[in-house]
Amino acid sequence: MHTSTPLMRGLMLLPSLLLLLLHPGTAQQRTASPLTLARHNAWLMFLSDARLSKRWGLHTEVQVLRTRTSELGYQNVFRGGANYYATDNFVLTGGYAYSQVVADDTYTGATGAEHRLYQQLQLHDAKSRLRLHHRYRLEQRWVQLRPGQDFTYLNRMRYQLQLVLPLLGPELSNGMPYAVAANEVFLGFGRGSGGRLFQQNRAYLGVGYQISKASAVELGYLNQFVQLPLEGRPELNENMQLSLCFNPDWRRALPVGK
């Protein structure tokens, strides 16, 4: 099964304009509130896409967001979902995520728990040495804007563009280091958004090592620009991100000649 070329090109090229229009610098110019330099954090992440059959797989994700203190927090995120492989490079996902916030009275931007449903589309372009990954995500969120408050329903769209470049050869293979760069824009819409389209931007730059066909490790810098929902002011967080990626292929091999 192959997706049409015009559709693929459209889905890949249109968000480039979106990234330019909604760059954090542009969003900052549109608000009179001063920028707050908040925290230097460490993000520990486990990401997994396990292929179970020709069409189906499982997505698992665990994020532990630590502050510069020795205690865990301030946020932990757990996400799971079912992947549908229309092709090897065109993947649809639907699932659930839970965000657990560790109480921190010194951080005015902290929210309570969050339950989230999401639908996702991923496109992978690996025809050249530079690999492009496009991720489009739609989220339905039930959020406690303050710990202990009632849940508020919010809608959000996200688009991420990721580039991966092998450093020692034309293809990413076992034992190969690579460079990775990404940018993700968060947009709010509908009732409860407060009229603010732009909500967040995450810019990432890192290096990785392909341990095996199924596993890799990455270390990088994540710049997070956030428009806080209640304070109405922008905030800039600087994060060190350590990621373990595990993407096994558990499809049963076909007998020779099949």
Side-chain angles (χ1 to χ4, degrees):
M1 176 179 178
H2 299 280
T3 54
S4 64
T5 301
L7 173 62
M8 295 285 284
R9 289 178 178 175
L11 289 172
M12 290 180 177
L13 294 178
L14 285 178
S16 300
L17 178 61
L18 182 65
L19 292 180
L20 291 175
L21 293 176
L22 296 171
H23 187 272
T26 304
Q28 184 179 346
Q29 293 174 4
R30 293 176 180 174
T31 177
S33 303
L35 176 66
T36 299
L37 293 175
R39 294 191 170 198
H40 299 278
N41 307 319
W43 288 20
L44 309 177
M45 305 183 70
F46 172 77
L47 309 169
S48 177
D49 284 298
R51 191 79 175 263
L52 304 179
S53 66
K54 180 180 179 180
R55 296 299 182 199
W56 295 99
L58 293 176
H59 176 76
T60 306
E61 186 173 332
V62 179
Q63 302 179 22
V64 179
L65 283 55
R66 299 171 65 100
T67 67
R68 51 184 162 183
T69 66
S70 61
E71 298 180 359
L72 283 176
Y74 92 102
Q75 186 179 19
N76 301 321
V77 179
F78 309 91
R79 181 179 288 110
N83 291 336
Y84 177 78
Y85 294 83
T87 71
D88 289 342
N89 298 318
F90 183 68
V91 185
L92 302 172
T93 305
Y96 166 80
Y98 174 71
S99 174
Q100 175 190 29
V101 176
V102 177
D104 186 346
D105 295 335
T106 65
Y107 182 54
T108 58
T111 61
E114 176 178 344
H115 299 275
R116 189 185 309 169
L117 297 177
Y118 73 98
Q119 303 81 43
Q120 180 175 286
L121 181 154
Q122 294 182 84
L123 297 172
H124 307 291
D125 185 357
K127 295 180 181 179
S128 63
R129 181 181 178 187
L130 181 63
R131 298 187 173 191
L132 277 68
H133 304 274
H134 303 262
R135 186 179 74 193
Y136 306 79
R137 182 179 291 171
L138 181 64
E139 297 177 330
Q140 300 84 46
R141 309 167 61 206
W142 289 264
V143 186
Q144 286 182 310
L145 296 177
R146 283 284 185 262
Q149 288 186 354
D150 293 336
F151 285 88
T152 299
Y153 177 74
L154 301 171
N155 291 293
R156 187 164 69 184
M157 296 182 294
R158 299 166 60 169
Y159 166 70
Q160 182 192 71
L161 171 63
Q162 183 188 71
L163 297 87
V164 177
L165 179 67
L167 296 179
L168 298 179
E171 296 182 356
L172 192 59
S173 57
N174 296 353
M176 174 79 68
Y178 60 89
V180 56
N183 195 81
E184 185 171 16
V185 174
F186 295 63
L187 306 176
F189 66 96
R191 183 179 300 178
S193 66
R196 294 188 181 94
L197 176 65
F198 175 84
Q199 293 189 346
Q200 186 177 158
N201 190 89
R202 296 179 182 178
Y204 174 74
L205 183 64
V207 292
Y209 182 77
Q210 191 71 31
I211 302 171
S212 67
K213 186 176 181 180
S215 59
V217 62
E218 289 183 12
L219 178 65
Y221 166 77
L222 178 69
N223 182 287
Q224 182 189 27
F225 184 92
V226 184
Q227 190 74 31
L228 296 178
L230 294 182
E231 287 77 5
R233 59 179 173 81
E235 175 181 281
L236 183 64
N237 295 314
E238 296 185 326
N239 312 292
M240 181 187 73
Q241 180 173 307
L242 177 62
S243 305
L244 175 62
C245 308
F246 181 59
N247 302 313
D249 189 341
W250 289 330
R251 288 177 290 178
R252 299 179 62 180
L254 291 176
V256 177
K258 293 294 186 179

